[in-house]
Amino acid sequence: MIYWYWLLGVSLLFVLLERLRPARRSQGTLRPQLVNDLFYLAFHGHWYALLTGAWTGAIALRTREALAPYLPFAESGAALGRLPWVAQFAVYLVVSDFLQWCVHNLLHRVPLLWQFHKLHHSVRRMDWAANFRFHWMEVVVYRSLLYLPLALLGGEGSALFAVAVFSTFWGHLNHANLDFGLGPVSYVLNGPRMHLWHHDASDEGGVAKNFGIVLSLWDWLFGTAYWPRDRAPARIGYPSDEEMPRDLPRQLLFPLTRVRGAASGSSGGSCRSYPRRR
Ligand SMILES: [Zn+2]
Ligand SMILES: [Zn+2]
């Protein structure tokens, strides 16, 4: 519940920043699909989080208890919990961000997962509200693959909660209609200019590019960074994004409700049909 208030606060901050210094002034505040994206914000940030968070967290903790006898730090208690809070925050941030980078790779590279991830990439005008525009199945995938490794670390819940709020702030920033550079720090931290290229509709540089959430470091390290710094992408979306229904109920049921005929002859069916950069 407390997360919900943080989410509202962070969101209002970006509403204000985008009003003051919009990067793309012609885009306007009331863009198409904004109502849907505000629903996703409330759904994923509150209702669905409450619905799924308790039992997925409980499963992770139960599994941790079952595995405890086999863990190297079982006798001395939680290894991470013995560190100062700031160190716990830093470890949780780096580990969870790397895991999310891995999962985001899977969402693009596994054809079935890409079908669900298409909803996030169907946004045509980027702003902070696009951060929570994602399919409910993504939550299942992320939680299934993230919660157990994070529970095994055994740090304080408050440090993990702070990482969740910080990641939300950075996710909003990545999608925000703001334009600023981070200089050499952009080799470590992600930002709106670099994430815009993740949403590039073309195959320039391949589509397997810029998967980072908070840290861009993983993309630079593992060769998935692509960022022409002199320009923005010509179009945001994916090649056959007209297949994505515009109304909420059918988006929730996608890909069963794909707009028929829209994807014919296109490469929208699978990420694997995209040309690779390397
Ligand atoms: Zn993506
Ligand atoms: Zn995005």
Side-chain angles (χ1 to χ4, degrees), residues 120 175 195 199:
H120 181 64
H175 295 89
H195 193 69
H199 284 262

Side-chain angles (χ1 to χ4, degrees), residues 47-202:
W47 300 319
Y48 194 55
L50 290 176
L51 194 71
T52 59
W55 63 266
T56 49
I59 289 173
L61 289 173
R62 284 281 172 85
T63 310
R64 177 171 174 254
E65 283 172 19
L67 292 175
Y70 309 102
L71 299 176
F73 46 82
E75 292 169 13
S76 53
L80 191 60
R82 286 176 288 154
L83 298 177
W85 190 90
V86 175
Q88 293 185 42
F89 173 83
V91 171
Y92 267 141
L93 179 65
V94 171
V95 172
S96 69
D97 197 68
F98 179 66
L99 290 172
Q100 286 183 83
W101 181 86
C102 294
V103 175
H104 195 183
N105 262 274
L106 291 176
L107 291 173
H108 278 263
R109 296 175 194 277
V110 178
L112 177 63
L113 297 181
W114 168 239
Q115 293 302 318
F116 299 122
H117 192 48
K118 277 177 174 178
L119 177 59
H120 181 64
H121 283 267
S122 66
V123 68
R124 308 266 182 89
R125 297 186 200 174
M126 192 79 93
D127 64 16
W128 66 271
N131 187 27
F132 274 67
R133 179 186 176 85
F134 50 85
H135 199 283
W136 57 270
M137 270 299 292
E138 277 197 36
V139 180
V140 176
V141 175
Y142 270 106
R143 288 203 167 146
S144 302
L145 297 175
L146 251 75
Y147 272 28
L148 181 58
L150 294 176
L152 289 177
L153 286 173
E156 291 179 30
S158 61
L160 194 54
F161 179 81
V163 167
V165 173
F166 187 76
S167 299
T168 297
F169 171 86
W170 215 272
H172 274 33
L173 178 68
N174 289 338
H175 295 89
N177 183 15
L178 300 171
D179 186 37
F180 64 90
L182 292 167
V185 180
S186 63
Y187 287 102
V188 178
L189 291 171
N190 205 356
R193 289 178 182 173
M194 191 172 179
H195 193 69
L196 207 56
W197 278 98
H198 177 66
H199 284 262
D200 176 27
S202 82

